[in-house]
Amino acid sequence: MADLNMNVNTTGTATLSAENKTFYQRVLIETAEAELIHEQFGQKRPIPKNNGKTTEFRQFDPLPEATTPLTEGVTPDGQTISTKTVTATVQQYGGYVTLSDTLELTAIDNVIVEATKLIGSQGGRTMDAVVREILNAGTNVMYGGGKSSRGDIGYTSETVNCNMTVDLIRKAVRTLEKQSAPRIDGYYVAIVHPDVKYDIMSDKDWKDPNTYKDSVEHLFKGEIGSLYGVRFVENPRAKIFEQEGAAGVGTGAPKQNVYSTLFIAENAYGIIPIEGSGMEHIVKPKGSAGTADPINQRSTVGWKCTTTAVILVPQYLLRVETSATP
């Protein structure tokens, strides 16, 4: 049987009305965006059309302090702006679902909508995972419990552990501040796993978003609260280094999981947004496969995305590795 993927009949053709194409694309993007926790703090660079697979991000170096006094009546020398170009090569990701011949493409149909929501969620989670892996490859790292390596991280009791603590959060903030890392809307941001969230929300100074939402530009997707100048965003897909920590308690116990919490400053990394050319909704209607679908039984609804992420300023992105209370 011929490969159905060879049939290129997308929402860019006359198969769907303009109204339907716009509607389905919006459903796809809105569903995918709900899953994009890691990408929301990145510097965005859309993919230029007809510009190959490489996209560019520019980093501007800060100007030095001007400590030399001016001489009366003398114009001082100007200064040169120093820029650094960081390039990244995009990759394509995608998936689709196959629908039976009950699907009709002549109107906005619940089957298409539900299929679009499913693939939109898959696409969003896929892109979130892609960005997560790139960010967690950064070299700026701190370990819980005063440890010096991932392999030493573990949890044995309430008093002997390498969990996330208030002191560790303060140290993370201090590390970013010493690098003059700019804040995002007045705060640093941390992407935290639900298991790690459990260890910090009981602090007496923890603030619920409802207590400060009127003083910030907007709440982030997944935002759960703030503590000591950091706004925390929960993501169940936050990186876990599975069984890369210290051995568990007991003979033959496997190594423990290590949790990554990313502390992020403004312009720490760049991403490709899904709007525009970033994410595409693809529909192949029944009958479009020719002899591969001889009695018009199959339709497919799919997605394709061209994306990447790149760390722009390594010192603006701090990975804190810890254990978590079971």
Side-chain angles (χ1 to χ4, degrees), residues 183-245:
R183 288 171 167 80
I184 302 171
D185 195 13
Y187 294 79
Y188 295 123
V189 176
I191 299 177
V192 62
H193 190 277
D195 288 345
V196 178
K197 174 190 73 172
Y198 175 86
D199 291 319
I200 60 176
M201 286 187 68
S202 60
D203 187 86
K204 61 181 178 58
D205 291 319
W206 177 266
K207 294 183 176 63
D208 184 89
N210 288 326
T211 65
Y212 60 82
K213 64 180 181 179
D214 293 334
S215 63
V216 297
E217 185 175 334
H218 65 275
L219 294 180
F220 303 122
K221 281 181 287 189
E223 185 162 352
I224 56 173
S226 71
L227 188 65
Y228 300 113
V230 179
R231 290 166 65 180
F232 287 85
V233 173
E234 180 181 8
N235 189 347
R237 292 179 300 279
K239 180 69 175 179
I240 299 176
F241 298 97
E242 296 187 359
Q243 296 187 6
E244 292 191 28

Side-chain angles (χ1 to χ4, degrees), residues 170-183:
R170 287 173 168 168
K171 286 181 179 179
V173 170
R174 181 182 66 182
T175 298
L176 292 175
E177 288 176 336
K178 288 169 66 175
Q179 298 294 335
S180 299
R183 288 171 167 80

